[in-house]
Amino acid sequence: MRCFHAPESLAHDPDFRITNGRVTRNAERAERGRLLLAGLDRLGLVPEAPPRCDDADLLTVHTPEFVAFLETAWTEWQKLPNAGAEVVPNTHPQKTRSTYPRHILGRAGWHLADPSAPIGEHSWTATRRAADCAVAAARAVLDGDPMAYALCRPPGHHSDADSASGHCLLNNAAIAAAHLRRHHERVAVLDIDVHHGNGTQAIFYDRADVLTVSIHADPMDYYPFFNGHAHETGQGAGEGYNLNLALPRDSGDGAWHDAIRQALARIAAFAPGALVLSLGLDAHENDPLRGLAVTTNGFQVAGEMIAAAALPCVMVQEGGYLSADLTDNLAAFLGGAMGKAPETFATDGAR
């Protein structure tokens, strides 16, 4: 399996986050990248540095204003008196009744939907290179590889066309899907991150050529809260082409695998030319953002299930945060998908 990683992404190490009203350390730390690289090494996979993709790949799914903001925000922010080290909004518009502002404070509020996606000095380079990884993996699959993996940092599935949130900046999975769509009449996106892929859903919500399916902890009491419910099925031409499978908090392997089977059945009926997998590993039972209780063995089985669908597959890294299990979980999933899991994990997945 070809894998892609940009070393520049390790310089993105955000600090700011608010949790339950307290300022805390951001969960999307650079150490995640090193733990994920160790997972590739466990399988003997050597990642390639991707070539730069075309700017058009970004603009296919994001607005020009959003892309320009991500590129220039940190530099403009530093010109403010007594500026903080990261771009963090302190005001937000009601966009349906608002005018796009010129000032960096206003644009930060417009484009950053919550304070968990701060922009630091190296964030633009990292997210631009993450998009390069996603497009490189898509190109590898278009060239005939059955699957390819993009180790993207920061992740992307919470970002919609015009705004970022939830540790995400550019939406790498959507960028990969749009790139694949140039060559296939239909493309599917399956998101197995513990959080609903609200940004990906929004980008493709009115389209029938891209099916979006998300398996996640119930957003009635889990981030992103406002989207990810069963009644969200698409609109206009996209009606019926969005499927949300929300699971009760702390669901384990059995319920999660059942949802994957349901998702794969819907994808098979759609008959896409290729699949983009938003590969979140934060559904694990020991993830610090605990929402579900999937075991490491459960990830291995999920990899086997998705590979058995026999669709050309671009795997784009989403969540999965700092725990001793992160390396194991990536190795287990990719190993399962490749039919050569590095070991049999003893954790009982019968929850």
Side-chain angles (χ1 to χ4, degrees), residues 1 35 37 98 119 154 171 174 178 188 196 203 207 223 248 252 266 332:
M1 179 194 297
L35 292 171
L37 287 170
S98 302
I119 296 175
N171 192 318
H196 174 246
I203 287 168
R207 291 173 56 167
Y223 189 90
R266 176 67 184 94

Side-chain angles (χ1 to χ4, degrees), residues 47-72:
E48 307 170 38
R52 182 180 173 89
C53 70
D54 294 336
D55 290 345
D57 283 300
L58 314 184
L59 297 172
T60 301
V61 300
H62 291 297
T63 66
E65 294 82 4
F66 179 59
V67 174
F69 167 77
L70 292 178
E71 183 174 8
T72 63

Side-chain angles (χ1 to χ4, degrees), residues 107-118:
R107 285 188 289 126
W110 186 280
H111 292 299
L112 299 177
D114 66 34
S116 63

Side-chain angles (χ1 to χ4, degrees), residues 95-177:
K95 286 188 178 181
T96 55
R97 302 193 298 273
S98 302
T99 300
Y100 188 71
R102 179 170 56 241
H103 196 281
I104 184 60
L105 289 171
R107 285 188 289 126
W110 186 280
H111 292 299
L112 299 177
D114 66 34
S116 63
I119 296 175
E121 181 178 5
H122 304 291
S123 298
W124 166 249
T125 299
T127 196
R128 185 63 176 78
R129 293 294 282 149
D132 293 340
C133 289
V135 172
R139 288 174 177 163
V141 167
L142 288 169
D143 287 341
D145 286 33
M147 60 184 71
Y149 169 73
L151 200 172
C152 295
R153 280 197 64 253
H157 71 148
H158 293 308
S159 293
D160 61 24
D162 200 43
S163 62
S165 60
H167 310 312
C168 299
L169 294 177
L170 292 171
N171 192 318
N172 307 303
I175 289 167

Side-chain angles (χ1 to χ4, degrees), residues 195-232:
H195 305 95
H196 174 246
N198 57 310
T200 309
Q201 171 178 295
I203 287 168
F204 297 116
Y205 201 59
D206 60 355
R207 291 173 56 167
D209 58 335
V210 180
L211 172 70
T212 48
V213 183
S214 181
I215 302 167
H216 49 271
D218 191 343
M220 285 300 291
D221 60 359
Y222 195 69
Y223 189 90
F225 298 110
F226 311 115
N227 300 103
H229 305 281
H231 67 267
E232 299 161 21

Side-chain angles (χ1 to χ4, degrees), residues 32 35-36 38-39 42 281-288 290 294-297 299 319-333 343 345-347:
R32 289 186 64 237
L35 292 171
L36 293 166
R42 182 84 57 84
L281 299 170
D282 43 6
H284 190 256
E285 59 188 347
N286 293 333
D287 191 272
R290 171 72 178 256
V294 174
T295 66
T296 299
N297 187 65
F299 280 109
Y321 299 94
L322 293 183
S323 79
D325 303 279
L326 185 56
T327 296
D328 288 345
N329 293 336
L330 180 61
F333 183 89
E343 59 187 290
F345 296 95
T347 309

